[in-house]
Amino acid sequence: MEKRFVFVVFSLAIGVVQSVNAEVPAIFVLGDSTSDVGTNNYLPQSTIKANFPHHGVDFPFDIPTGRFSNGFNTADYLAKLFGFKKSPPPFFSQNVKFSIKIRKFRGINFSSAGSGLLGSTGQTTPLQKNVVTMGEQLLQFSTVHNDLLAFKGPLETEKFLSKSLFFISIGSNDIMNNYYSSNPIPKEYFIPKLGLVYEKHLRNLISLGARKFGIVSVPALGCCPSQRIYQANGECLEELNNQARAFFSTMELLLGNLRLEYKDIKYSLGNTVDMTLNVIDNALAFNFKYVKTACCGSGTLNAQGSCTPISDLCSNRNEYLFWDSFHLTQTASKLAAFTLYGGEPRFVSPINFSQLPDA
């Protein structure tokens, strides 16, 4: 039954791509490594990069693009479902003003691997630029907003952004960093704190014209191979999963309240905790043979070392849920995108991503 659902979603998605494409002038992506398509390649001092093999082994021409994946990631597949060839390129790679001037501007990906909602997440020292924080990603978007105003004027810019989609996938690194810190803040205080910061970022985006949000919540972090290696029999670390569930509940409440305040915003919230656990619990139905072990890495569950050119690399990558100790394979990312795009309310609500353009 689960497997049949996936193929139904796929068929529906392909069938409506053309009609949706006309409704979406641009896609903007903000977040962390789950949606980064090469931002950190442009940060010379960053230690969080994926622009080397075996990353990209299944990307066209075997190119390691900076995606933490053997190929495309979820941001790419979501963009494809809306008629784009792949995710928009990184902010640092674009001549935004020129793209807007020649009317070929279709959006930007601001996501930066290792970043978080908090300004401190991912930064090693004040002098070392390790990531582009969420706050800085919003500053980058504000410069894009100004460029749009300069070339399109206020009315056309408002119309353009109100029809554009804003995908956000962030929060995992904040939770992980706090959990493993020497003096962690209790979940009951830390998750609401993240919610307040998230709300601030969303309000900033709304003030700049964003109206349609596709929010990807924090997945089942405790089931990543990197966390399973610390558990008996390689089971999930439930405390981290509980924190992810608390984060999702916080996002549900936050987005519902914002919708009451701003009548013209629309949102879709992906419950990636349940999405992940559903795949793990029904692995064979989704054609996955390996849900505990990483495809690329070393040591126990191939998760004690990061993915490098000398790491152990699986050959049957379509059968693995996880690419490395934290991130999904291309196959799993595609499944996640299809579920976000056309999934049932159990996994994405109050509407799914495919319904955002017409909402």
Side-chain angles (χ1 to χ4, degrees):
M1 180 175 181
E2 300 291 352
K3 186 175 179 181
R4 183 166 63 251
F5 165 73
V6 176
F7 289 125
V8 169
V9 171
F10 178 81
S11 300
L12 290 174
I14 296 302
V16 299
V17 162
Q18 294 303 318
S19 63
V20 170
N21 185 29
E23 302 287 338
V24 183
I27 289 176
F28 299 94
V29 187
L30 302 96
D32 54 29
S33 59
T34 56
S35 52
D36 187 351
V37 294
T39 292
N40 287 15
N41 297 352
Y42 297 88
L43 304 179
Q45 294 180 312
S46 178
T47 59
I48 310 174
K49 294 182 179 181
N51 57 345
F52 50 82
H54 296 295
H55 298 293
V57 64
D58 296 312
F59 198 82
F61 307 107
D62 301 337
I63 298 174
T65 59
R67 292 166 172 82
F68 285 78
S69 171
N70 55 308
F72 292 106
N73 62 24
T74 301
D76 290 305
Y77 284 114
L78 280 172
K80 286 172 181 280
L81 289 169
F82 285 100
F84 293 66
K85 292 182 178 180
K86 56 185 177 182
S87 165
F91 173 79
F92 292 123
S93 72
Q94 279 218 68
N95 185 330
V96 176
K97 292 181 180 179
F98 181 71
S99 297
I100 296 172
K101 187 175 182 180
I102 64 174
R103 299 186 179 277
K104 288 190 175 182
F105 182 72
R106 300 297 306 280
I108 291 179
N109 188 316
F110 302 94
S111 299
S112 173
S115 66
L117 290 161
L118 303 177
S120 58
T121 300
Q123 301 288 27
T124 51
T125 69
L127 299 178
Q128 181 176 346
K129 188 64 179 172
N130 212 32
V131 304
V132 180
T133 66
M134 185 65 169
E136 291 168 333
Q137 292 177 38
L138 263 68
L139 287 175
Q140 291 176 345
F141 176 70
S142 70
T143 67
V144 175
H145 179 262
N146 290 337
D147 290 338
L148 287 168
L149 285 174
F151 285 97
K152 290 178 174 289
L155 292 179
E156 187 63 26
T157 296
E158 180 182 357
K159 180 180 178 182
F160 181 84
L161 292 177
S162 69
K163 291 186 176 182
S164 297
L165 300 181
F166 290 76
F167 298 149
I168 308 176
S169 177
I170 201 162
S172 298
N173 294 318
D174 300 285
I175 293 174
M176 295 284 285
N177 287 5
N178 179 66
Y179 184 79
Y180 284 108
S181 70
S182 57
N183 188 26
I185 301 172
K187 176 184 67 177
E188 293 74 17
Y189 300 101
F190 186 69
I191 299 301
K193 175 183 178 181
L194 291 183
L196 290 174
V197 178
Y198 212 135
E199 179 181 354
K200 176 184 176 182
H201 292 322
L202 288 174
R203 288 183 181 277
N204 284 339
L205 282 171
I206 292 169
S207 72
L208 292 170
R211 290 297 181 270
K212 301 189 180 215
F213 298 93
I215 307 293
V216 183
S217 191
V218 170
L221 297 174
C223 294
C224 294
S226 61
Q227 307 309 302
R228 287 181 182 270
I229 60 176
Y230 301 115
Q231 304 303 302
N233 302 318
E235 298 305 314
C236 298
L237 179 54
E238 282 306 316
E239 176 52 33
L240 273 177
N241 285 351
N242 288 336
Q243 296 214 20
R245 291 186 183 96
F247 185 84
F248 174 77
S249 297
T250 296
M251 291 305 301
E252 271 192 313
L253 181 61
L254 162 60
L255 290 166
N257 288 338
L258 282 177
R259 178 69 180 87
L260 292 175
E261 182 176 347
Y262 299 95
K263 304 298 184 182
D264 58 343
I265 71 166
K266 309 295 180 183
Y267 72 89
S268 178
L269 174 62
N271 184 347
T272 46
V273 174
D274 283 356
M275 284 168 55
T276 306
L277 295 178
N278 181 54
V279 173
I280 291 173
D281 292 340
N282 301 281
L284 293 180
F286 291 101
N287 292 325
F288 289 116
K289 289 185 179 179
Y290 309 96
V291 296
K292 294 184 178 182
T293 304
C295 173
C296 183
S298 60
T300 304
L301 299 182
N302 229 16
Q304 289 182 295
S306 58
C307 183
T308 71
I310 61 172
S311 295
D312 295 329
L313 177 66
C314 70
S315 58
N316 48 342
R317 292 179 283 279
N318 290 340
E319 298 177 347
Y320 279 74
L321 178 61
F322 288 96
W323 163 240
D324 60 15
S325 60
F326 286 102
H327 305 97
L328 299 177
T329 58
Q330 175 176 257
T331 299
S333 294
K334 187 175 185 178
L335 173 59
F338 284 144
T339 306
L340 291 167
Y341 184 85
E344 59 185 283
R346 172 187 171 190
F347 300 119
V348 55
S349 61
I351 58 177
N352 58 43
F353 282 34
S354 74
Q355 297 169 301
L356 282 171
D358 297 324

